[in-house]
Amino acid sequence: MASRRTWIVLALIAATAVACSSPPAPQAARPEPAAQARDARAAAPQDGSVLAFADAQLAATADTLAPPAYPVRTNPDGTWLTKEADDWTAGFLPAALWRVYERTQDPVWRERAERWQAPLTSETSHDDTDLGFKMFMTFAVDHQLTGDEGAKQTALAAADTLAARFNPAVGMIRVWDDRDDQEKYQVNIDAMMNLELLYWAAQHGRPQYADIANRHADRTMRDLVRPDGSTSMFGGYDQRTGALQRTYTMQGFRDDSTWARGQAWAAYGFAMAYRYTQNPAYLDTAHRTADWFLGHLPPDRVPYWDFDVPQAPPEPRDTSAAAITASALLAMNELDADPATKNADVDGARGMLASLSTPAYLARGTPFRSILLHGTQNLPEGQADSGIMFGDYYFVEALNRWERQVGPSSQLATG
């Protein structure tokens, strides 16, 4: 396997030939977005940078839709498919709005974020493992950025609900409930992303939640991360004895394949766990899973939806997996001490962000309301080749990190 430092060379080559290996932009049935969306874009910064475009798309979405109609993924005509506040994806638009506020300190973005997160307040008691996605990146981040005490209490209430799903025999938080078989206890690699709510809560009056998060991360590391650094999506457990019964997939190609977004969740989740705990095993696992991801990418650095399908069209890509992993690598760059490792982190992120910033994957110039094109949410359920709100969130988060750590994101589009 090549080292991560070689990927920047491949990315620069791919930037000039991305059309040869990248999918064409989706064709929309309606050529023009809503008039209000055009107005919102016109009011956004016009400096031509990828972040300016991202901000314009988010402003258009936030100002033309109304909560609680939360954007999930794009329809074939480029408009957003929306869901109610109880959907696991509902937090990603307000989360993205908070990240723009974090970067700009513009009160207009704070007002947007608060307006879109307000209907999520009642979700604190929703017995759902994805509360970490939904409530940390909204209410806890709100508290981090503004000091709002009400947002803090809302996030803590959500952490209480999430922690109640922990089973000491298994040592993990249950992900999906199986009403037909109460002995089943299902946990996926995605659940690593919910642990930040518990780690944060442990720092704000719930110290016992750190042990729950650590035990979950430890068992995920043991059961769902394979020796070569690839990952399984799901583990099935006997909730009475805690025994691992099998590993399998629900959204990947087959039970022993490596689902691209699951691999991204692992790299991001273990990097986050290290930031809170300083446990070197977590950072090592973050690097191993990120290295595996980078080592199996196609030349243009954007993965197909599963690493074990034929790595060529007509298999769809998943831009969300690239955005998540790029953000994870930049998180590692903040955590690593060795200069060579830090350079490799940046180089790995650069290759993916540069490719995502090209016309092959960016929605600029199309009727699509998303920032990125060609995301795959759940191919077995027919959810493929669309813009995805959570892909947009992690792309914005990665670009924010890039600008803090490296330099202007406008340089990415030109390599």
Side-chain angles (χ1 to χ4, degrees):
M1 183 185 301
S3 70
R4 277 197 278 166
R5 289 186 57 79
T6 65
W7 298 129
I8 182 57
V9 178
L10 294 173
L12 293 177
I13 294 171
T16 64
V18 66
C20 295
S21 59
S22 299
Q27 297 298 309
R30 288 187 290 204
E32 290 293 332
Q36 299 112 309
R38 290 198 300 271
D39 293 342
R41 290 187 181 95
Q46 298 298 308
D47 62 12
S49 72
V50 176
L51 263 176
F53 169 71
D55 290 356
Q57 293 292 84
L58 289 172
T61 294
D63 296 345
T64 58
L65 295 178
Y70 290 92
V72 178
R73 59 185 178 273
T74 54
N75 294 305
D77 67 354
T79 59
W80 284 112
L81 171 75
T82 63
K83 294 289 185 74
E84 297 293 320
D86 61 350
D87 192 76
W88 76 272
T89 64
F92 286 109
L93 175 59
L97 300 174
W98 279 120
R99 290 307 177 197
V100 182
Y101 173 72
E102 177 184 34
R103 171 168 34 86
T104 65
Q105 294 299 296
D106 184 339
V108 171
W109 288 100
R110 176 175 177 174
E111 184 280 327
R112 286 182 176 123
E114 290 174 338
R115 174 163 48 89
W116 274 93
Q117 83 174 13
L120 302 178
T121 304
S122 61
E123 289 293 291
T124 56
S125 59
H126 183 184
D127 185 17
D128 178 359
T129 186
D130 288 320
L131 284 176
F133 279 114
K134 191 183 300 184
M135 308 301 275
F136 174 80
M137 296 187 302
T138 52
F139 293 97
V141 169
D142 177 356
H143 177 257
Q144 290 175 336
L145 296 178
T146 72
D148 185 89
E149 183 64 23
K152 174 185 173 180
Q153 295 305 317
T154 298
L156 286 173
D160 294 339
T161 300
L162 179 62
R165 295 180 67 89
F166 179 74
N167 181 318
V170 180
M172 304 178 92
I173 297 165
R174 184 179 72 260
V175 172
W176 289 352
D177 299 315
D178 190 324
R179 299 184 186 280
D180 296 326
D181 186 349
Q182 291 300 311
E183 302 310 321
K184 278 188 177 179
Y185 198 90
Q186 303 182 93
V187 182
N188 61 9
I189 194 72
D190 317 37
M192 282 297 303
M193 301 295 288
N194 289 288
L195 300 187
E196 188 160 15
L197 179 61
L198 298 180
Y199 282 126
W200 173 85
Q203 296 177 339
H204 292 85
R206 309 284 198 276
Q208 69 275 21
Y209 291 172
D211 180 65
I212 291 175
N214 289 337
R215 290 184 63 186
H216 184 105
D218 289 345
R219 184 131 202 205
T220 301
M221 186 167 54
R222 184 168 76 246
D223 292 348
L224 300 185
V225 179
R226 302 176 183 127
D228 67 354
S230 65
T231 56
S232 300
M233 183 185 179
F234 263 97
Y237 298 86
D238 184 319
Q239 64 182 342
R240 299 167 304 175
T241 67
L244 175 66
Q245 297 173 321
R246 65 185 182 112
T247 57
Y248 58 100
T249 193
M250 295 293 287
Q251 291 174 239
F253 176 54
R254 61 175 186 247
D255 286 346
D256 62 347
S257 71
T258 302
W259 175 51
R261 195 163 73 249
Q263 192 73 16
W265 292 141
Y268 192 111
F270 282 103
M272 173 275 300
Y274 175 76
R275 186 171 70 249
Y276 281 90
T277 66
Q278 300 297 297
N279 181 342
Y282 295 161
L283 186 59
D284 175 70
T285 302
H287 278 302
R288 288 197 302 115
T289 52
D291 285 346
W292 195 98
F293 189 103
L294 293 170
H296 291 78
L297 288 175
D300 72 352
R301 320 309 296 145
V302 176
Y304 290 87
W305 69 284
D306 189 292
F307 286 103
D308 289 273
V309 299
Q311 301 291 284
E315 296 291 345
R317 306 295 187 112
D318 186 8
T319 51
S320 74
I324 294 162
T325 307
S327 192
L329 285 162
L330 293 171
M332 293 179 217
N333 179 49
E334 292 180 323
L335 300 169
D336 285 319
D338 177 64
T341 304
K342 292 174 73 68
N343 287 340
D345 295 335
V346 171
D347 286 350
R350 180 188 285 113
M352 288 180 285
L353 292 177
S355 195
L356 293 175
S357 299
T358 66
Y361 294 109
L362 201 66
R364 194 192 326 249
T366 79
F368 279 73
R369 309 292 178 82
S370 58
I371 300 168
L372 295 175
L373 305 170
H374 304 305
T376 295
Q377 183 172 350
N378 187 338
L379 186 140
E381 293 190 0
Q383 302 163 7
D385 199 26
S386 71
I388 302 176
M389 190 66 239
F390 56 76
D392 288 356
Y393 168 80
Y394 287 103
F395 187 54
V396 169
E397 183 184 77
L399 292 175
N400 281 6
R401 286 174 168 170
W402 181 271
E403 294 220 333
R404 289 199 305 267
Q405 298 174 28
V406 184
S409 60
S410 58
Q411 298 172 354
L412 289 165
T414 60

